[in-house]
Amino acid sequence: MIAISDIKIIGIGGAGIAILNDIKPLLPEASFVAIDTDASALEKCQIENQICLIENGEGAGGDTAIAQSGASEKASELEALLNGSRLVVLVAGLGGGTGSIIAPMLAKVATENSNCEVVSFTVSALAIEGIEKTKLATKAKLALSRFTRASFTLPNDVILAKQNLPIIDAYAKANLHIVNMVQSLARLLSSNGIVNVDFPTFIKLFDDNQAKQKISYASFGRGYAENAVDDAIEELQQSPLLPKDFSAKTMLLNLRCSPSFEMNKMQRLLELASQKFGSPAKMAFGAITDESLDTEIEVCAMGLCNDIEHQQAEVIEDKFESENEIESAPTSFSNEEESVNKTAEPEQPADTKQVIDVAPPPQQTDVSVPPVPVEPEKKSFFGLGRRKKKQPEVKPDDNQTEFKFVELSEQRGFFLDTPPNIRNGVDLDIPTYLRKGIKINL
């Protein structure tokens, strides 16, 4: 276990601070910090420990450069936040100028401190807010998944679209998913319960060096009276923090119940959770009793998973890596560093093809045989490997009666700086007749 005072929860930007205000009453002994570029928003915040990145600032206006510039002025304060903390929980909204750059910066700086672990809970931008915010949110999310022990994202599009509540209540209900997860995780790691989960176990469950990108899932559920277990499991399965069509690789399950909760019910809870989440290879659970609970139980499940839907994100990540976007995320809060939403400047004009120097072939002893020219090697657009060598041209056959299939890679095209158009695991950029194996008679 770790002390609750060793857990620091940091809210970044407007969305992060709003969620932080709801978490604080549930975990009064934890350490809280609010960070923003909007001075007026911090004045209304209930968190005492505050860092305003811009004095008398009015916000970043979606510009990460403004937030980063303010961060460089407060470098010593921001870096000091990570000192002495065993677990740092970052809470932010992605797509805006403050949370999208400051959260990844803090996470990456924390990786240099071997005694500090970082977990992030973020809220994605609404699609209606525009493609620029969506792109920025995606880049920030990918950076956080790399620099944190676990990264969880709440899709606001999924949550808010289903609400017929007033706007304030709808956002508060959506944020409640993160509030419940953060307070449950903090209690699990810091409370002395019936069954405890130590910090090294938590780290191991979220450690997967073989995965190219760690994909995390999380869910929270409640149940009451005789049907408490079944109701809690059903709510777990409906969590918006669960990726679509996923299979759990690891699971950390936390039960909070009354002292009278029966052992056979806890056993059934564990069996159902494992079964519904795909029988994870590694599993740990904790149980904490609370006198204030009568017939109610609270269940939290989180871990790493496999998810087909995130294959698109992995392809996008490869593209970002090839453009030095994620790797250039700041390791400090210096103005000289590039922000997450900037790409490396090209060394040559955009309309000039890159020239690769290739050593000439060795001189042939037989002058009657001309040397074979060496083709320069080219990498694919997404940096996923070398392109296939150009195939010799085949002259059209006048007697051809059927449109022949060719390699998919030769039919696949890309628009510059755009991700593949993948829906439900199907690459829509590949012609339909190729995807469905339809032969076209001429």
Side-chain angles (χ1 to χ4, degrees):
M1 291 189 303
I2 59 176
I4 187 68
S5 57
D6 290 336
I7 300 176
K8 183 165 291 182
I9 306 173
I10 303 176
I12 307 167
I17 293 175
I19 297 174
L20 207 65
N21 286 332
D22 293 334
I23 297 175
K24 185 179 179 182
L26 302 175
L27 298 170
E29 297 178 358
S31 176
F32 293 89
V33 183
I35 303 174
D36 204 354
T37 51
D38 189 341
S40 61
L42 286 172
E43 289 178 1
K44 301 174 184 178
C45 176
Q46 303 173 12
I47 309 302
E48 296 180 3
N49 191 1
Q50 304 177 358
I51 298 179
C52 186
L53 300 179
I54 303 175
E55 295 298 332
N56 300 319
E58 298 179 347
D63 189 347
T64 58
I66 294 177
Q68 187 180 343
S69 176
S72 67
E73 300 294 328
K74 304 282 186 175
S76 57
E77 292 182 58
L78 292 171
E79 291 175 353
L81 289 178
L82 307 174
N83 296 334
S85 299
R86 197 68 184 91
L87 176 66
V88 172
V89 180
L90 302 177
V91 183
L94 302 183
T98 303
S100 300
I101 182 66
I102 301 302
M105 287 171 71
L106 281 172
K108 190 169 185 179
V109 171
T111 60
E112 301 175 2
N113 185 348
S114 59
N115 294 322
C116 180
E117 296 291 342
V118 182
V119 175
S120 68
F121 290 87
T122 56
V123 179
S124 63
L126 292 167
I128 195 66
E129 295 181 79
I131 188 63
E132 292 301 322
K133 276 197 171 186
T134 301
K135 284 183 177 180
L136 179 56
T138 300
K139 295 174 185 179
K141 177 182 174 182
L142 289 170
L144 284 170
S145 70
R146 171 167 298 178
F147 302 129
T148 59
R149 178 61 61 178
S151 177
F152 308 97
T153 301
L154 178 71
N156 256 348
D157 270 327
V158 176
I159 299 297
L160 298 180
K162 298 179 180 179
Q163 301 294 338
N164 58 355
L165 300 171
I167 297 175
I168 295 178
D169 295 336
Y171 273 102
K173 187 173 182 179
N175 292 344
L176 191 59
H177 291 281
I178 292 181
V179 173
N180 288 332
M181 291 301 308
V182 173
Q183 61 93 10
S184 182
L185 176 62
R187 284 174 174 164
L188 172 65
L189 298 177
S190 63
S191 300
N192 188 11
I194 301 174
V195 182
N196 298 316
V197 176
D198 56 31
F199 203 55
T201 299
F202 165 75
I203 293 174
K204 288 179 180 178
L205 287 173
F206 285 93
D207 187 14
D208 190 355
N209 295 326
Q210 297 180 350
K212 185 174 184 182
Q213 179 190 350
K214 290 193 300 184
I215 305 170
S216 307
Y217 70 90
S219 61
F220 182 88
R222 285 191 176 93
Y224 302 87
E226 290 300 319
N227 294 325
V229 171
D230 295 281
D231 292 344
I233 291 295
E234 183 177 354
E235 190 171 341
L236 282 180
Q237 292 181 279
Q238 297 174 356
S239 171
L241 289 165
L242 295 179
K244 184 180 179 181
D245 299 328
F246 80 102
S247 175
K249 298 166 65 176
T250 66
M251 175 181 284
L252 177 61
L253 191 106
N254 180 32
L255 167 66
R256 183 166 167 257
C257 59
S258 70
S260 61
F261 190 72
E262 299 169 1
M263 180 65 198
N264 61 337
K265 292 182 179 179
M266 186 175 75
Q267 179 69 22
R268 174 174 166 77
L269 175 69
L270 295 174
E271 291 175 352
L272 281 177
S274 176
Q275 176 186 344
K276 299 294 185 181
F277 283 65
S279 300
K282 296 180 182 179
M283 184 173 180
F285 76 96
I288 303 169
T289 59
D290 190 329
E291 295 285 352
S292 64
L293 298 176
D294 185 11
T295 62
E296 178 186 0
I297 65 170
E298 295 180 352
V299 183
C300 165
M302 61 175 63
L304 298 179
C305 66
N306 296 311
D307 175 28
I308 297 176
E309 187 179 17
H310 279 72
Q311 289 179 354
Q312 178 183 2
E314 292 182 2
V315 173
I316 296 174
E317 182 184 18
D318 284 328
K319 175 178 178 294
F320 291 159
E321 285 180 345
S322 65
E323 297 177 355
N324 296 320
E325 293 194 23
I326 292 180
E327 289 298 336
S328 63
T331 55
S332 67
F333 299 100
S334 168
N335 265 327
E336 298 176 357
E337 300 285 355
E338 294 184 1
S339 59
V340 170
N341 72 326
K342 292 185 179 180
T343 60
E345 291 294 330
E347 296 181 358
Q348 301 179 8
D351 58 348
T352 303
K353 294 183 179 180
Q354 184 180 6
V355 178
I356 302 175
D357 293 330
V358 179
Q363 188 173 359
Q364 303 291 330
T365 56
D366 185 358
V367 293
S368 64
V369 181
V372 180
V374 179
E375 291 289 337
E377 295 179 348
K378 295 181 181 180
K379 290 187 176 181
S380 70
F381 180 78
F382 288 100
L384 298 179
R386 297 172 181 170
R387 289 177 178 171
K388 293 185 177 180
K389 292 183 179 179
K390 188 175 180 180
Q391 300 295 326
E393 267 188 47
V394 180
K395 293 183 179 180
D397 184 1
D398 294 337
N399 298 321
Q400 179 180 346
T401 58
E402 184 180 298
F403 193 88
K404 300 295 184 181
F405 287 95
V406 296
E407 293 291 332
L408 294 185
S409 59
E410 297 178 15
Q411 291 291 320
R412 179 71 160 85
F414 302 102
F415 288 100
L416 186 61
D417 294 330
T418 59
N421 187 17
I422 295 178
R423 294 293 183 273
N424 297 324
V426 177
D427 191 342
L428 300 182
D429 290 333
I430 297 176
T432 303
Y433 76 92
L434 286 176
R435 287 188 279 107
K436 296 188 176 182
I438 300 173
K439 292 187 178 180
I440 301 175
N441 294 323
L442 301 177

